[in-house]
Amino acid sequence: MPKDVVTTPTKPVEPNLLGMSPAALPGTLKPLLRGVLHEHSAVAALAAGTMLVLSAKTPEAKAACGVYVASLTALFTASALYHRRTWSPRARLLLKRVDHAAIFVLIAGTYTPLCLVGLESPVRERLLATIWGGAALGLLQTFFWVHAPKALKTGIYIGLGWAVLPYAGSVHAALGPAGAALLVLGGLAYSIGGVIYAMRWPDPVPKWFGYHEIFHACTVLASGLHFAAVYMLALKPSAHVGKCAFFGSTVPSRGQQLAAARPIRSGLRVSAAKGGGKQFSVEVDKPTGLKLGESKNPNGGLLVKSASGNAAKAGISAGDTIIYTSSFFGDELWPADKLGFANSAINACPSPVAFVYVKGENTEVNVKRLPKKPTPPRFGRKLTSAQRERATHICLDCGYIYCDQTPFTELPTDYLCPQCRAPKRRFAGYDPITGKNKGGGQNAGTIATVIGGLVGVAVLAYVGLNL
């Protein structure tokens, strides 16, 4: 491998005909660890990615994870190839295009498992089209405007990476709290690295480890966090609805599994809000079949313009007034006083959607003054005193409370939730007094192993490699 050498020009070097800046020309000082992190990460990504694809539970998950692993390995490989050697100006320009193009491919590749495995239609198709469409535009910029300002390129990368924000509720429901946290932390690491790359600061040890190496370290950390999130998602049963337009196979959604196991609750009465009036609380599987509009009544609420399908089965009729809807994450009931906000929450929250409504016009409840409140127990299960004494664990995916005679810790590792078929690891400790879970449900060892593997390779390369 050619060694980098230091030259001290007697006068400024003008850019050559290929548009190369002086810092990119052969013979210019380059940190000795440039590209080392990505060189070793490429090997780690290929090895860990192979295990990820083999561990995925469904054909869709295996294919989606294959796209992700290919994009991740391609990025690290292209970056290492571009940065580790001193190339001729023409070869360097070509490799620069490939290196920068791989970033757009990785962004889209990272979201592919999330969309195909975790999200439901139509959010799945919308997010996929947004991400891959943006990546395609980014590829055009990369190959036809290779010398675009760093600030502009960084802004495009960061903007495309955070394009998932409008679908935050659906993503949280698909990944769970731990997976969503990993996704956000990885995005922050990528963003911080991008800002450092654009500012070219801090530049601690230019001869060995400069600003570009810090940027690469951020990408290694971020990719490890995202890899852990994808790994957790790939081990889950598929969560999206019906036929996958990209693979043509039919996969029952969690809502469809639940619907087969229980009738839709309709007309379950709850205590009236302050001011009186009979209210009904129902859960409606998606698609709800509801069309809502603003109510002209001064008390507020949302007018049901039409109710078909699951909403009609639950007892909701045209002319009724919705006064509460599920929140974005489905853990609270929010007053239904703003149409746009309520529709966004209904679309984002996991199925089924909880509603509280009154028959006909709302004449007694001032919706704008109603407080937020917790969602009622999701499946309305009331435990007997004997069951309450044995209740020790709860399914984080569907709310099923385990209270059988056999202790939960003695159940086999392949035990599945009888209500939603979630694996045993998706159960957490349950407190029957407060009705809340005690945390858990995630395989922390798996997450730590995946992240530690990638980060460990980077650390070893940093402290142990001497060029």
Side-chain angles (χ1 to χ4, degrees):
M1 182 178 298
K3 292 287 186 178
D4 294 325
V5 296
V6 180
T7 62
T8 306
T10 57
K11 60 180 180 179
V13 181
E14 297 295 333
N16 62 17
L17 295 178
L18 290 176
M20 304 298 294
S21 64
L25 294 173
T28 305
L29 175 66
K30 181 169 66 174
L32 296 177
L33 288 177
R34 177 66 56 86
V36 170
L37 296 181
H38 283 185
E39 181 181 16
H40 289 74
S41 295
V43 179
L46 182 60
T50 301
M51 293 189 294
L52 171 64
V53 174
L54 294 177
S55 302
K57 294 297 185 182
T58 66
E60 289 83 0
K62 291 182 183 294
C65 289
V67 172
Y68 166 63
V69 171
S71 66
L72 181 63
T73 305
L75 176 125
F76 286 137
T77 302
S79 177
L81 188 64
Y82 171 51
H83 292 104
R84 292 297 290 134
R85 292 193 58 181
T86 301
W87 300 92
S88 67
R90 190 176 299 276
R92 181 180 175 85
L93 184 62
L94 174 62
L95 290 173
K96 180 178 182 180
R97 287 176 171 146
V98 174
D99 176 48
H100 291 186
I103 299 176
F104 288 110
V105 175
L106 176 61
I107 294 173
T110 301
Y111 280 115
T112 298
L114 171 63
C115 293
L116 296 185
V117 180
L119 299 182
E120 298 182 356
S121 181
V123 174
R124 177 176 67 242
E125 288 80 7
R126 290 174 183 171
L127 184 54
L128 268 180
T130 299
I131 296 297
W132 279 102
L137 293 176
L139 292 176
L140 292 176
Q141 174 269 306
T142 298
F143 283 97
F144 294 101
W145 191 15
V146 68
H147 298 300
K150 280 193 174 185
L152 175 62
K153 291 188 290 186
T154 301
I156 296 174
Y157 293 141
I158 294 176
L160 183 61
W162 289 102
V164 70
L165 285 179
Y167 309 98
S170 298
V171 172
H172 183 276
L175 293 177
L182 289 170
L183 187 69
V184 171
L185 290 175
L188 290 174
Y190 274 127
S191 300
I192 292 172
V195 172
I196 292 173
Y197 170 78
M199 296 177 60
R200 304 189 182 191
W201 181 89
D203 194 23
V205 188
K207 182 179 178 181
W208 286 87
F209 199 87
Y211 77 92
H212 207 110
E213 285 62 55
I214 297 178
F215 164 56
H216 281 186
C218 288
T219 62
V220 172
L221 173 61
S223 65
L225 294 168
H226 282 177
F227 189 97
V230 174
Y231 189 89
M232 292 166 55
L233 181 65
L235 295 184
K236 286 184 179 181
S238 183
H240 55 69
V241 175
K243 286 193 174 182
C244 176
F246 299 91
F247 297 98
S249 61
T250 302
V251 180
S253 71
R254 186 62 47 82
Q256 290 171 329
Q257 295 169 358
L258 296 175
R262 61 172 175 84
I264 297 177
R265 295 166 56 201
S266 61
L268 177 64
R269 298 184 183 183
V270 297
S271 58
K274 185 176 181 180
K278 187 179 294 184
Q279 301 173 14
F280 298 88
S281 176
V282 296
E283 288 176 340
V284 182
D285 284 323
K286 291 185 175 181
T288 61
L290 274 179
K291 184 177 181 181
L292 303 177
E294 296 280 4
S295 174
K296 297 181 180 180
N297 191 300
N299 287 324
L302 298 178
L303 180 66
V304 178
K305 290 188 173 182
S306 64
S308 60
N310 291 329
K313 293 178 183 178
I316 302 177
S317 306
D320 293 344
T321 303
I322 304 293
I323 61 175
Y324 273 108
T325 66
S326 286
S327 63
F328 280 87
F329 298 148
D331 57 342
E332 290 184 315
L333 288 175
W334 288 352
D337 59 337
K338 296 180 180 178
L339 178 60
F341 194 79
N343 280 333
S344 297
I346 293 170
N347 290 331
C349 79
S351 181
V353 184
F355 294 97
V356 178
Y357 70 99
V358 296
K359 302 300 291 184
E361 187 177 359
N362 173 30
T363 58
E364 300 185 35
V365 179
N366 190 334
V367 176
K368 295 182 179 180
R369 294 185 179 181
L370 290 178
K372 296 180 181 179
K373 61 182 182 179
T375 302
R378 190 168 181 186
F379 299 104
R381 184 179 184 187
K382 294 183 178 179
L383 302 180
T384 65
S385 57
Q387 289 175 328
R388 191 175 294 108
E389 292 177 358
R390 298 193 301 266
T392 59
H393 287 75
I394 184 172
C395 177
L396 296 177
D397 288 352
C398 72
Y400 173 80
I401 301 171
Y402 181 84
C403 52
D404 292 349
Q405 296 283 356
T406 304
F408 187 82
T409 54
E410 297 180 8
L411 294 175
T413 55
D414 59 352
Y415 171 80
L416 298 177
C417 173
Q419 188 160 257
C420 71
R421 313 302 294 170
K424 184 180 179 181
R425 62 184 175 81
R426 293 295 298 163
F427 278 76
Y430 176 73
D431 185 348
I433 298 177
T434 63
K436 298 180 179 180
N437 69 64
K438 300 177 182 178
Q442 300 294 344
N443 191 339
T446 299
I447 299 173
T449 300
V450 174
I451 297 176
L454 287 177
V455 177
V457 168
V459 172
L460 288 175
Y462 171 60
V463 300
L465 189 63
N466 186 4
L467 298 180

